[in-house]
Structure formats: structure tokens, C-alpha cells
Amino acid sequence: MEQNINADHNNDILLIFAVLRGITRRWTTTSEIQNRLASQGLDIHRRTLQRVLKRIVNHPELGVELDDRTRVYAYRQTVPSGSFSAMQMNPQECLLLRLFEENMRYLLPGSLMNAMEPLFETARATLRERAPETPERTWLSKVASVPSGVKFIPPEIKPRIFDAVSEALYREVKLEVRRNLEGVEKEAIVSPLGLVLQDRKVYVVVRFDGYDNCRHLALHRMLDAKLLEFAADVPEDFSLDEYMQSRHFNYSNGQKIHLVLEFTNAVTAQNLKETPFNETQTLELQHNGVWRLEADLDDTVLLDGWIAAWRDAAGIRFVEKSVLAE
């Protein structure tokens, strides 16, 4: 739930920035702003745009003026340079933008990230110009994210391919993709359903034309991708979250199991109390000093890898997996 809230908040922020980029120094109507954004591949519903414009006007520091003397509202940018990217940002805002840029690069439409580029550059330049010993300048070297598995160098994704795939997903239109499969080039028309970042690789969940099952295409294996002006075939009941939970993406055989695990290490027990597998987990200390864990889980290679990696350190002495009836 928290991840969904954060994602919605991030999208709201990017939408505000994109709309700000569509406002110039001259008076501009809502329709003109909407058309300007559409020409950049950003199709925003009129009511959504009106809501965003209202929020922008209510924050004078964003430098947008409203003319509401007639029924047709108009807006203009009051920042002296006429560019939102030239607005002065404090070091904390620059730091947040840098963190945002690094962590959301492959999770948002390419057009939105491109629209944000002047702002990102302003943030980078502002931080570069500050003295080396300032807290904001050194903060990025004080924080890190540790992967839970083996660390790999991310594969190269052509920017034009990521832009095309993300835009097709954003606008809900079909894609024509060309891939290299075992030395043979193949073309296909697909409907994108979701974008997933896994182990530093970016996949798009798609439906091929003429089929009703979902498949995963790695963006770094694509030779080309082109937007088509045809609406994507998106099932009404499709949910990316539910799809990933039911399939565990690329690591599951599709089976649910009941896991029984017995081990002797008290530190492992403490860790599993603090971060359980899920809400079905039970963990008890038996009379013989052995901890017994039971939980219903997806049968995945990640689970097998976790058991193998911790077998000695956790003192795992018994493992049993039984398939659950559907």
C-alpha cells in the first residue's frame, strides 16, 4: 500500500512539472496547454489538467498567474526568464530531485523524464556549484541501497526503445517490436500492460496480437520499437500487482506450497519475527530448542536460493514443501 501511495505522489509531482513546462510568458488557455502537451505525447484529461492548474496557481512560488475575468481561463509564467527550469531551488529540493531522477528513471514515461531534464540539470548544476564540504553536496555519497541478491551490471537499453515502450504504455496504444531471438530477428505487434524493473533489467508485460496470455519482453533485447495509432488490448480485469503476485514474475513455477522449516539459530528466528515471509507465517520454539516455521508461499527459485544460502548459518535441519490445493 505504501509503495502505491508513493508512486501516485511521484506521478502527481511529474504531472505538475510537465504542465508547468507547457505554460509560457504569454497568456495561454487551458485548451492550448492541453494541445501543447498532447503534441509532446502527453494526453492529459481536461479535468485532470484543470485540477493541476488550480494547484499550481494556489502556490505563488511556482510563478504562474491566472486570468479569470472571462469564462475562458488563461495562464502565464511570471518567472523572469520564462523557464521553470531557471527557478531558484534550495539545496534540499535539488537533492530530492537528484534522488528522484536516479530511482525513477525506468519507471516513468520517457516523455515525462525528458520534460524534466532541464529541471534535473538545474539540480545537478546547483549541487556541483556548492562547496565540497556542504551536507547537500556530500549526501549522495552517504546513502546506499544494498541488493538482496547477486549484484549485476545493468544491460544497456537504447533510449529510443525505452521512450517508445513507456509512451505506448502511458498512452495505451499498441507497439510494433523487433527482437533478436537466438540469432533470428522477429517482429510482432503487442499491447503493453505493465513495466517491471527486476534485477536491474527492465521488462514490459505484453499481450501479442491474436493471443490472450501475457508474456515478458526484456527491453535490452529489443532492436526496435515503434508506437502504433491503435488502442492497446488491455483486459478490463488486468492488474499488474495481482499478476505479479500470482506469477511471481520470472521466478515462479506457478505453484503455491506449504513450507515447513526447522532450524536452530536464534538470530535467524529474530530476523524472521521482524520480517516474516507473509501473514500466514507461524514461528515457534519447540521443547528441544529447535525453531519450527510454517508458511504458505509461492514456490520460487528465490525461496530455494534463500534456503540454500542460509542452510549452514541458520542451522537448517529440516525442510518440507507440500503443494497446496487450488
Side-chain angles (χ1 to χ4, degrees):
M1 177 63 70
E2 180 180 351
Q3 289 182 347
N4 289 337
I5 292 174
N6 289 337
D8 290 342
H9 181 63
N10 288 333
N11 287 335
D12 285 345
I13 293 174
L14 278 182
L15 188 55
I16 289 172
F17 286 146
V19 172
L20 281 166
R21 295 278 295 168
I23 302 173
T24 66
R25 290 298 304 279
R26 67 175 183 83
W27 290 109
T28 309
T29 66
T30 304
S31 296
E32 290 173 333
I33 296 172
Q34 187 178 27
N35 292 336
R36 185 175 295 130
L37 293 172
S39 69
Q40 300 171 6
L42 302 177
D43 294 322
I44 302 176
H45 193 277
R46 188 176 182 84
R47 288 187 178 179
T48 301
L49 179 57
Q50 290 171 336
R51 174 178 57 82
V52 173
L53 287 167
K54 182 177 180 180
R55 292 176 63 185
I56 290 173
V57 171
N58 287 338
H59 289 79
E61 65 273 15
L62 295 180
V64 173
E65 183 180 2
L66 166 65
D67 182 358
D68 57 357
R69 292 173 296 180
T70 66
R71 294 183 60 184
V72 180
Y73 286 8
Y75 306 82
R76 70 177 177 185
Q77 179 64 259
T78 60
V79 176
S81 67
S83 172
F84 180 67
S85 64
M87 291 179 64
Q88 294 297 315
M89 291 182 287
N90 64 43
Q92 290 78 18
E93 291 168 337
C94 292
L95 181 58
L96 285 172
L97 277 169
R98 287 289 292 113
L99 292 171
F100 185 92
E101 178 187 14
E102 291 298 322
N103 289 282
M104 300 298 291
R105 180 170 298 278
Y106 290 118
L107 296 178
L108 292 167
S111 57
L112 286 180
M113 293 300 289
N114 292 337
M116 290 276 292
E117 182 55 35
L119 201 58
F120 291 144
E121 178 55 37
T122 299
R124 290 192 292 263
T126 300
L127 291 176
R128 282 197 303 267
E129 291 168 1
R130 294 183 64 80
E133 66 275 9
T134 57
E136 296 82 13
R137 178 77 180 272
T138 59
W139 178 259
L140 292 177
S141 64
K142 296 179 181 178
V143 294
S145 175
V146 179
S148 58
V150 179
K151 185 177 181 179
F152 297 95
I153 296 174
E156 181 181 356
I157 299 175
K158 297 180 177 65
R160 60 181 173 80
I161 289 177
F162 176 77
D163 289 349
V165 172
S166 61
E167 277 302 298
L169 180 63
Y170 184 73
R171 295 168 54 184
E172 295 189 347
V173 296
K174 292 185 178 183
L175 269 172
E176 181 180 342
V177 297
R178 182 162 57 90
R179 300 171 296 148
N180 189 329
L181 298 178
E182 299 179 354
V184 179
E185 291 189 11
K186 291 190 176 182
E187 293 183 354
I189 295 176
V190 300
S191 295
L193 304 177
L195 205 59
V196 178
L197 180 63
Q198 183 183 54
D199 293 338
R200 323 255 344 232
K201 299 175 183 177
V202 183
Y203 296 88
V204 58
V205 181
V206 303
R207 271 194 173 187
F208 281 75
D209 267 16
Y211 296 85
D212 59 4
N213 63 319
C214 296
R215 294 178 60 184
H216 314 148
L217 304 183
L219 267 63
H220 65 275
R221 295 183 184 137
M222 291 185 184
L223 302 175
D224 199 9
K226 296 179 181 178
L227 274 75
L228 300 178
E229 295 303 321
F230 301 103
D233 298 324
V234 181
E236 291 184 3
D237 59 347
F238 179 81
S239 165
L240 184 60
D241 285 342
E242 292 178 3
Y243 174 77
M244 292 179 64
Q245 290 175 12
S246 64
R247 304 294 197 284
H248 211 81
F249 210 60
N250 290 332
Y251 291 143
S252 175
N253 60 17
Q255 289 184 330
K256 291 278 188 179
I257 60 163
H258 180 74
L259 173 70
V260 177
L261 201 66
E262 293 185 353
F263 57 93
T264 58
N265 191 301
V267 175
T268 300
Q270 180 66 28
N271 289 335
L272 289 170
K273 286 180 181 178
E274 296 170 345
T275 55
F277 283 112
N278 56 40
E279 66 278 0
T280 69
Q281 174 182 301
T282 60
L283 182 62
E284 296 179 353
L285 179 60
Q286 302 180 105
H287 67 277
N288 59 356
V290 175
W291 292 89
R292 181 181 176 89
L293 177 147
E294 296 190 36
D296 297 336
L297 302 165
D298 292 316
D299 190 14
T300 70
V301 295
L302 296 178
L303 177 61
D304 292 337
W306 183 89
I307 294 172
W310 289 99
R311 184 177 294 277
D312 293 337
I316 296 175
R317 51 190 290 178
F318 177 78
V319 179
E320 181 181 75
K321 296 195 301 184
S322 54
V323 178
L324 293 173
E326 296 184 1

